Amino acid sequence: MDSQEKSYIEIDPARCKGCACCVVACPKDCIQIGSEINQMGYQFARFAVRQCIGCGLCFYTCPEFGAITVYTLPRKGE
Amino acid sequence: MQSMKHSIKHQKAGSLYATFERKGPGAKSSHYCPGCGHGTVHNLIAEAIDDLGIQDRVVFCSPVGCSVFAYYYLDVGNIQCAHGRAPAVASAIRRTHEEAIVISYQGDGDLAGIGLSQILHAANRGENITVLFINNAIYGMTGGQMAPTTILAQKTITTPAGRTAANEGFPLHMAELINTLQAPVFIERVSLGTAAKVMRARAAIRKALRYQTKKKGFSFVEILSPCPVNWKMTPVEARRWLENSLEPVFPPGNLRDLPNAAPAALGAPGAPGATGVSGATGAPRVPGVSGAPGEPATPGAAEPVISQKAATKSERDILEILGANSEPLPTGTVSLAEEQNVKIAGFGGQGVLSTGILLANCAIAEGLRTTWLPSYGAEMRGGTANASVNISHEAIGAPIVSQPNVLLALNLPSLDAFEETVRPGGHILVNSSLVPRQVRRGDLHAWYIPATDMANALGTVQIASVIMVTVYALISGAITIDTLRRVIPLSIKRKSLVDINLRAIDAGVAWHRQECCQDFGRPRLPHVSVAGGTAPGATSEEPPVASSQDPSA
Ligand code: SF4
Ligand code: SF4
Ligand code: SF4
């Protein structure tokens, strides 16, 4: 991941069921449902657009456990 | 990859197990259907447990319902309670384990149906426990029956024309009911309708647990939660319906918050309710509830109707329904070499059960005898499901198929579970898109069909099972493709999906023609392993049972 980005997320294909709740939740339209299929037979979500602000709304909306992890740069001074 | 400078801001809570054994060793996903609200709430609870530092004190009382298996996820003390009894169990733990943080997690059928008495008395006693009430207005696990909280005009499988006040009564408003009791210290209703509302749910759950750690008393959080599968919506549509239809009936908001409640002491006369705040006085803090019969709480709901159509059935009708006096079935064109004992297995949601019905209906259309028997776990979608279908010229004794001669394995767990049960000489049709291994047995026929990839190429993964059944029809000759084409439109509720299902049949036929039929309709050997004799215990004397029909005939 480009370290210029302030924040980004990772989606674990093995945990995602492609429900698209994160897609709707993201205020920056960062997430899309991809065309690949995972082992469970679901088309999983992908972090596609790098405008993430690290708000965590996708993380809190997601019904799966650990499908989404949110990364961010520490604030200045931290 | 995480860059050196970035740090994790939000990740899976430590109070959740790393993997979930119910779904098989190393499995990382829940058993819940895609887009179910339970997982979201589990995440919120686990995070709160982490942040409050109470993981080794929590006793989580799970209910009967879809969340019956919560103990596979939450790495805390767990008790799975009898239906509706979680508040009673929680009360007992409360009184015997002073340091325990006790969570009673219940659905609407559990809490507002069979367990109505338990919840009201536990609340009325002011037990220092936290009740998290998942209200999705329907029975989830059992397949979408009306729940006490089903709203007026809402269609369920037991109220197919919509719930009416005259016939089924009004939806129960549990938060408001509990708010009529004196003892509780915290009562709030929240919703999972949008991300912002999820954050409010998060705050309410945290507050309720914090109050319990301070021994303040009974806390109750009602969480409006989507059940996309039984609402028959996509996860995104379900959240919209939740906002537009459920929330007006069950308005989110705080009904009671007594941060200064004295720590609850057993038998103390000055328990919270004595402060005289809110519900106890009968103040009308019950938005959206109108008690008068015939005055529906939902604006615009259908007027109450009592069905008068309870037609009495004559004895003959009943015998007919049971098939006891049926005429001999018309003999079709199909002639079975042997009775077909078919097991179709996959994840719930892969169309396993409905494909079984499709196959059985085709058999009926062929003039054959057939049975269909579904089998599924406590989950509607995320788990494994299988259907047993028998097809025969004779009357069928038992509908269950324990030793199939045909297995349609739509995913890996199904192949793992049922490969050994297939009779020697039988057929295993493998969905090779999702099954990364070969059939281990050498004494039967194995077919590898990339059904999910083929279905995806057609536009939806849902039709993979139809492709598999098409190939089965061609291999076995038990039903004809013509019959399949004629029956499928009758068995699909959404007419817009008929076309894609017909194309799934075409895809199955094309695959079969290309992979198996180049040699005058005989299966080409590279795609079929017959009597390899590698399986331990396989009787190598067993003559390989060739597919005796000419599939292309
Ligand atoms: S953290 Fe916020 S901005 Fe980033 S992907 Fe998730 S919802 Fe979108
Ligand atoms: S909300 Fe979670 S499960 Fe649903 S698509 Fe997004 S990452 Fe996948
Ligand atoms: S049926 Fe599925 S979506 Fe509905 S509550 Fe159960 S797991 Fe969730």
Side-chain angles (χ1 to χ4, degrees):
Chain A
M1 179 53 64
D2 188 343
S3 61
Q4 307 295 337
E5 311 285 334
K6 191 173 175 302
S7 305
Y8 66 95
I9 65 163
E10 279 177 1
I11 299 174
D12 182 349
R15 295 180 185 269
C16 171
K17 289 185 184 153
C19 68
C21 294
C22 56
V23 176
V24 176
C26 178
K28 292 288 175 185
D29 293 332
C30 294
I31 311 173
Q32 293 168 1
I33 296 296
S35 54
E36 279 173 85
I37 297 169
N38 65 13
Q39 275 295 303
M40 296 180 286
Y42 297 115
Q43 285 173 262
F44 52 89
R46 295 167 44 244
F47 179 58
V49 183
R50 297 183 177 183
Q51 293 170 349
C52 175
I53 52 171
C55 66
L57 290 178
C58 56
F59 172 85
Y60 284 110
T61 311
C62 176
E64 287 299 319
F65 306 132
I68 296 178
T69 308
V70 184
Y71 298 87
T72 191
L73 284 174
R75 285 204 201 92
K76 287 211 180 78
E78 273 181 55
Chain B
M1 271 293 108
Q2 186 187 354
S3 94
M4 292 302 287
K5 286 189 206 154
H6 285 88
S7 57
I8 292 173
K9 189 173 177 200
H10 299 290
Q11 66 178 335
K12 181 165 146 291
S15 301
L16 293 163
Y17 288 110
T19 56
F20 315 119
E21 59 178 290
R22 174 167 169 78
K23 300 293 294 295
K28 291 173 165 182
S29 73
S30 72
H31 74 288
Y32 297 118
C33 313
C36 172
H38 278 301
T40 301
V41 179
H42 288 10
N43 274 324
L44 297 176
I45 296 168
E47 186 200 39
I49 291 172
D50 282 6
D51 292 351
L52 291 169
I54 52 175
Q55 185 181 5
D56 54 3
R57 290 168 62 195
V58 169
V59 180
F60 192 89
C61 302
S62 48
V64 169
C66 294
S67 50
V68 64
F69 296 124
Y71 52 82
Y72 280 109
Y73 309 118
L74 288 157
D75 185 5
V76 295
N78 283 283
I79 294 184
Q80 200 285 309
C81 308
H83 207 183
R85 275 46 175 170
V89 176
S91 300
I93 298 163
R94 166 80 293 130
R95 293 183 179 211
T96 51
H97 295 75
E98 208 187 327
E99 285 310 308
I101 301 296
V102 192
I103 301 173
S104 175
Y105 184 100
Q106 303 179 261
D108 42 53
D110 190 86
L111 180 139
I114 191 169
L116 190 59
S117 156
Q118 274 72 21
I119 183 63
L120 289 180
H121 288 294
N124 194 41
R125 291 191 303 268
E127 303 287 349
N128 182 34
I129 61 174
T130 299
V131 176
L132 302 177
F133 168 41
I134 308 297
N135 179 0
N136 56 21
I138 205 155
Y139 277 79
M141 181 180 95
T142 48
Q145 295 81 2
M146 190 197 82
T149 53
T150 295
I151 62 173
L152 292 179
Q154 184 182 342
K155 288 182 179 165
T156 69
I157 65 165
T158 44
T159 54
R163 181 178 188 161
T164 61
N167 221 27
E168 292 95 15
F170 292 91
L172 276 184
H173 291 67
M174 287 310 303
E176 286 81 355
L177 249 180
I178 299 219
N179 197 28
T180 62
L181 304 172
Q182 269 182 277
V185 295
F186 183 76
I187 305 168
E188 184 157 327
R189 182 184 287 122
V190 293
S191 156
L192 303 181
T194 63
K197 287 172 182 169
V198 170
M199 300 313 279
R200 260 173 257 157
R202 174 176 181 262
I205 291 168
R206 294 167 86 88
K207 196 172 214 179
L209 286 174
R210 206 163 344 104
Y211 281 11
Q212 187 183 158
T213 62
K214 298 196 173 143
K215 298 192 166 37
K216 288 192 185 299
F218 184 88
S219 50
F220 183 88
V221 183
E222 175 171 341
I223 302 157
L224 302 179
S225 175
C227 175
V229 167
N230 288 305
W231 294 356
K232 308 204 187 309
M233 298 173 197
T234 68
V236 171
E237 285 165 2
R239 278 156 180 76
R240 213 171 296 135
W241 187 81
L242 199 164
E243 271 205 288
N244 297 336
S245 301
L246 267 196
E247 286 183 17
V249 182
F250 300 110
N254 183 274
L255 285 85
R256 187 182 302 182
D257 187 358
L258 305 177
N260 300 320
L266 278 183
T275 57
V277 182
S278 69
T281 56
R285 298 187 62 173
V286 193
V289 182
S290 64
E295 192 188 313
T298 336
E303 68 274 13
V305 177
I306 297 179
S307 169
Q308 302 290 341
K309 279 198 289 185
T312 45
K313 296 245 178 285
S314 77
E315 204 172 301
R316 224 197 49 187
D317 290 337
I318 292 168
L319 283 173
E320 201 146 87
I321 289 166
L322 296 173
N325 68 343
S326 59
E327 302 289 311
L329 291 167
T331 320
T333 50
V334 166
S335 153
L336 294 175
E338 61 174 335
E339 183 171 307
Q340 300 288 300
N341 311 119
V342 184
K343 178 82 87 185
I344 307 174
F347 292 123
Q350 282 187 306
V352 168
L353 304 186
S354 54
T355 306
I357 297 176
L358 172 67
L359 182 57
N361 279 335
C362 288
I364 292 169
E366 298 287 8
L368 296 163
R369 309 243 182 194
T370 186
T371 61
W372 169 81
L373 189 74
S375 161
Y376 43 87
E379 50 271 67
M380 288 294 294
R381 281 296 181 272
T384 53
N386 73 75
S388 295
V389 178
N390 290 295
I391 305 175
S392 178
H393 290 294
E394 313 290 325
I396 295 163
I400 193 135
V401 172
S402 48
Q403 290 185 304
N405 53 14
V406 178
L407 169 65
L408 273 57
L410 279 112
N411 63 6
L412 180 60
S414 301
L415 184 61
D416 289 345
F418 296 115
E419 178 173 351
E420 287 307 317
T421 66
V422 179
R423 293 208 298 275
H427 295 263
I428 299 186
L429 283 69
V430 177
N431 177 9
S432 59
S433 305
L434 300 184
V435 180
R437 73 169 176 88
Q438 303 266 311
V439 171
R440 300 205 173 98
R441 298 258 306 269
D443 58 343
L444 37 70
H445 308 260
W447 309 75
Y448 301 98
I449 308 151
T452 298
D453 287 322
M454 291 163 66
N456 198 27
L458 289 174
T460 170
V461 293
Q462 309 288 341
I463 53 175
S465 52
V466 175
I467 296 175
M468 300 277 289
V469 145
T470 305
V471 176
Y472 161 71
L474 290 165
I475 293 170
S476 66
I479 57 172
T480 65
I481 296 301
D482 186 47
T483 303
L484 198 54
R485 292 184 141 280
R486 279 188 292 120
V487 170
I488 214 162
L490 308 175
S491 54
I492 293 172
K493 286 204 194 91
R494 275 203 235 166
K495 292 302 158 209
S496 58
L497 297 179
V498 169
D499 187 52
I500 195 153
N501 277 276
L502 290 174
R503 277 190 282 141
I505 296 175
D506 293 341
V509 171
W511 181 89
H512 182 263
R513 186 180 304 128
Q514 189 183 338
E515 301 293 320
C516 318
C517 297
Q518 295 184 347
D519 191 12
F520 304 105
R522 296 293 170 201
R524 278 196 297 150
L525 282 179
H527 298 275
V528 189
S529 61
V530 186
T534 50
T539 48
S540 51
E541 298 84 42
E542 197 81 42
V545 181
S547 50
S548 47
Q549 284 85 28
D550 185 343
S552 64

